[in-house]
Amino acid sequence: MSSDKLPTRDKILKASLYLLETGNGDGVRMGDIAKRAGISRQALYLHFATRAELLVAVTHYLDKLHGTDQRLAASRAAKSGVERLDAYIDAWGNFIPEIYGVAKALLAMRDRDEAAAEAWDARMQDVRHGCAAAITALRDDGMLSEDYSQTRAIDILWTMLSVRNWQQLTIQCGWSQKEYITHMKSLARKVFVKA
Amino acid sequence: MSSDKLPTRDKILKASLYLLETGNGDGVRMGDIAKRAGISRQALYLHFATRAELLVAVTHYLDKLHGTDQRLAASRAAKSGVERLDAYIDAWGNFIPEIYGVAKALLAMRDRDEAAAEAWDARMQDVRHGCAAAITALRDDGMLSEDYSQTRAIDILWTMLSVRNWQQLTIQCGWSQKEYITHMKSLARKVFVKA
DNA sequence: CCAATAACTTGACACTGTGTCAATTGACAA
DNA sequence: TTGTCAATTGACACAGTGTCAAGTTATTGG
């Protein structure tokens, strides 16, 4: 392993990420992670009290690796509201496949594990802020359709862009990533941009 | 209990349904169901080999109770394609809250349990057929937007009307059921009906 | 009336995966 | 030397599912 000299915490994060991203995302157990990181299962608990806590840390690690904040923030550079909507869909939509392994594991825990649910919801709240910014920009341009209140428009965009929907459309329905992005953009325009 | 004279199998289904629908849908264990049905946990296994199998049976039982098929089929009576789209959204959209307890439990198992996943997917395939019928009716009227192929349009409608989306919009975003239905109809028109 | 059968009960147990606890080791530093 | 920190080993509690075996009860048919 090339990570022999990394601090243990980083070895754990790296190992978790590897297992989450390769494999199908199923069955990444604490023991599996420990083995991959080359430490004992108990050493894991020295660094992360629970599996949920570890998974949350992995999402943060992932964000740092991919520069999520910057990439999402980039959509704010767009001039018009419509461009900004497009840019946001581009940024977030192309981000989903990169985080999918981790997202899937967190999502699977969501229904049972309080901590995992909170962690996931917190991250989705960030996405919601991005959606809100895009919708607000549209409204400020006077281009937001009058069919929905601003809040409802945000609710809809946020729901449209959920990881679950991405999963259904790409993985289940077989859309290519490119198709996903273009269709989502077209959808968003039809729904939100004043005719 | 008023179900003393029911066959055991029905007592089990009834008890499962009760627990799934009341409670938050969490923690409906085999033991809980047995207790509620007034039988031993092991007797459950005499009727259903696994929890997944039981849950599937519950969905069928539920369908019979609510007359799902008839209600969904009713949307076929609509004359124009647009009316039919509306009618389908009405029928299915108002059906979701009734099955939500069971759906939630099945959905929570989906990620881990192969059998549960298959059962759920099979049921969602039925919904897809309904979506396909609505989209086809629209196309036959020459009213389907040319922005999407028929398959893609079905994919989109199907995804829009997913239980997960209903959950997010009503339970998380706080939409009323009425609001959900009207917004979904408006959304579908904007997206699918030729301008 | 006896015997077979089916439905059910009781209780013990295996298995998986998470999380806990305690005793121990090895390294490095004051 | 002593202290301390990170890690190790191994045992264990706990939940929940599913299995197994032996015993009970009621019904029914010869």
Side-chain angles (χ1 to χ4, degrees):
Chain A
M1 209 166 300
S2 68
S3 51
D4 272 354
K5 44 188 342 205
L6 283 175
T8 305
R9 190 188 151 90
D10 291 328
K11 281 201 279 185
I12 295 171
L13 292 173
K14 200 176 166 185
S16 307
L17 198 49
Y18 174 84
L19 292 174
L20 254 4
E21 285 183 339
T22 63
N24 43 12
D26 287 345
V28 179
R29 293 170 291 262
M30 294 299 263
D32 300 327
I33 296 169
K35 187 184 276 182
R36 171 93 202 164
I39 59 170
S40 66
R41 193 171 70 91
Q42 282 55 37
L44 235 53
Y45 287 99
L46 256 28
H47 294 269
F48 304 96
T50 66
R51 186 171 130 90
E53 190 179 316
L54 168 56
L55 286 176
V56 174
V58 172
T59 66
H60 293 318
Y61 177 64
L62 195 53
D63 285 349
K64 221 182 273 174
L65 279 189
H66 288 311
T68 317
D69 294 346
Q70 302 92 69
R71 279 168 58 185
L72 291 186
S75 65
R76 299 199 184 145
K79 285 166 217 103
S80 75
V82 177
E83 277 170 19
R84 187 153 169 180
L85 183 60
D86 270 6
Y88 187 71
I89 293 174
D90 240 323
W92 168 243
N94 282 314
F95 195 59
I96 299 177
E98 295 176 19
I99 61 161
Y100 181 59
V102 182
K104 194 178 166 192
L106 228 29
L107 239 18
M109 299 186 63
R110 216 208 97 103
D111 303 294
R112 302 163 282 156
D113 186 312
E114 192 58 33
E118 259 177 61
W120 177 256
D121 291 350
R123 305 204 58 61
M124 285 310 101
Q125 234 20 65
D126 294 345
V127 176
R128 195 173 209 285
H129 290 141
C131 291
I135 293 292
T136 304
L138 211 54
R139 190 211 50 185
D140 291 348
D141 267 14
M143 296 295 286
L144 181 61
S145 157
E146 273 147 21
D147 292 348
Y148 315 106
S149 74
Q150 211 181 329
T151 309
R152 289 314 180 222
I154 296 168
D155 293 341
I156 293 167
L157 181 59
W158 185 46
T159 301
M160 269 176 52
L161 295 179
S162 72
V163 173
R164 300 276 195 195
N165 282 353
W166 176 88
Q167 175 185 41
Q168 176 154 327
L169 292 171
T170 61
I171 294 174
Q172 276 190 256
C173 297
W175 293 22
S176 70
Q177 174 64 15
K178 200 181 149 198
E179 214 169 357
Y180 170 81
I181 296 287
T182 54
H183 275 137
M184 279 325 222
K185 283 184 187 169
S186 134
L187 230 52
R189 280 188 193 227
K190 286 189 179 199
V191 171
F192 300 115
V193 179
K194 196 179 276 183
Chain B
M1 208 165 301
S2 67
S3 51
D4 271 353
K5 43 188 348 207
L6 282 175
T8 305
R9 191 189 150 90
D10 291 329
K11 282 202 278 185
I12 295 171
L13 292 173
K14 198 176 167 184
S16 306
L17 199 49
Y18 174 84
L19 292 174
L20 254 4
E21 285 184 337
T22 61
N24 42 14
D26 288 344
V28 179
R29 293 169 291 263
M30 295 300 262
D32 300 327
I33 295 169
K35 188 184 276 180
R36 170 93 203 165
I39 60 170
S40 68
R41 192 171 71 89
Q42 280 56 37
L44 235 51
Y45 287 98
L46 255 27
H47 294 268
F48 304 96
T50 66
R51 187 171 131 87
E53 190 180 317
L54 168 55
L55 287 176
V56 173
V58 171
T59 65
H60 294 317
Y61 177 63
L62 194 53
D63 285 349
K64 220 180 276 173
L65 280 188
H66 289 310
T68 316
D69 292 346
Q70 301 94 69
R71 279 168 58 184
L72 291 186
S75 65
R76 302 204 180 142
K79 283 166 222 103
S80 74
V82 177
E83 276 169 21
R84 186 153 170 180
L85 183 61
D86 269 7
Y88 187 73
I89 293 174
D90 240 322
W92 168 243
N94 282 314
F95 195 61
I96 299 176
E98 295 174 20
I99 61 161
Y100 181 58
V102 181
K104 194 179 167 190
L106 226 30
L107 238 17
M109 298 186 64
R110 216 208 99 102
D111 302 295
R112 300 164 282 156
D113 187 311
E114 192 59 32
E118 257 178 63
W120 177 256
D121 291 349
R123 306 204 61 58
M124 285 311 101
Q125 233 21 66
D126 294 346
V127 175
R128 196 173 208 283
H129 289 142
C131 291
I135 293 292
T136 304
L138 210 55
R139 191 211 47 186
D140 290 348
D141 268 14
M143 295 295 287
L144 180 61
S145 158
E146 274 148 22
D147 292 348
Y148 315 106
S149 74
Q150 211 181 329
T151 309
R152 288 317 180 219
I154 295 168
D155 293 340
I156 293 167
L157 181 59
W158 184 46
T159 301
M160 268 176 53
L161 295 180
S162 72
V163 173
R164 299 278 195 195
N165 282 352
W166 177 88
Q167 174 187 41
Q168 175 154 326
L169 293 171
T170 60
I171 294 174
Q172 276 189 257
C173 297
W175 293 20
S176 70
Q177 174 65 15
K178 201 181 148 199
E179 214 169 357
Y180 170 82
I181 296 288
T182 54
H183 275 137
M184 279 324 224
K185 284 185 188 169
S186 132
L187 229 51
R189 282 191 191 226
K190 285 189 180 201
V191 172
F192 299 114
V193 179
K194 197 179 274 183

